[in-house]
Amino acid sequence: MLRLNLLLLVTVMASAIFLVQTQYESRKLFTELDRAEAEARRLATDQLRLQVEKRAQATPQRIETLAREKLQMKPASPGISQYVKDGLASAGAVR
């Protein structure tokens, strides 16, 4: 009878330790999941913000201003345009 009681006691203790460990792991995984979801929300917000900034940076007016100021570009006009003729095209098709 004493052996049976000791065996049951050891079994109950092992079960209790396993239950505590399982609860600890469950809480740990829940915390990691919560952090990952928060990070995903932050990244989604950053992506939306960056897309808005990208659209704002690519406006035609901004590009034209940068081309004039930084690259010293001017609008094309017939007075400053140079036309180049292809020598082969003007000589005819050579085969």
Side-chain angles (χ1 to χ4, degrees):
M1 187 72 156
L2 182 63
R3 288 184 183 183
L4 180 62
N5 286 341
L6 286 176
L7 179 64
L8 290 175
L9 178 66
V10 169
T11 305
V12 168
M13 292 301 289
S15 175
I17 290 172
F18 180 73
L19 179 64
V20 169
Q21 181 182 2
T22 303
Q23 287 177 341
Y24 172 76
E25 288 294 323
S26 174
R27 289 182 183 141
K28 182 179 170 185
L29 290 173
F30 180 77
T31 304
E32 288 179 20
L33 177 64
D34 192 41
R35 285 183 189 151
E37 287 174 347
E39 180 72 9
R41 284 191 299 272
R42 185 187 66 78
L43 290 174
T45 303
D46 284 349
Q47 181 184 16
L48 291 174
R49 180 183 54 82
L50 289 172
Q51 286 175 347
V52 169
E53 287 180 16
K54 180 182 172 184
R55 278 188 240 122
Q57 295 290 323
T59 60
Q61 182 180 10
R62 182 176 181 280
I63 292 172
E64 185 176 341
T65 303
L66 286 174
R68 286 181 190 210
E69 292 175 1
K70 289 192 176 184
L71 301 175
Q72 304 298 317
M73 296 177 86
K74 299 177 186 175
S77 66
I80 61 171
S81 297
Q82 295 181 358
Y83 298 95
V84 178
K85 294 183 180 180
D86 187 11
L88 293 177
S90 61
V94 178
R95 293 184 187 223

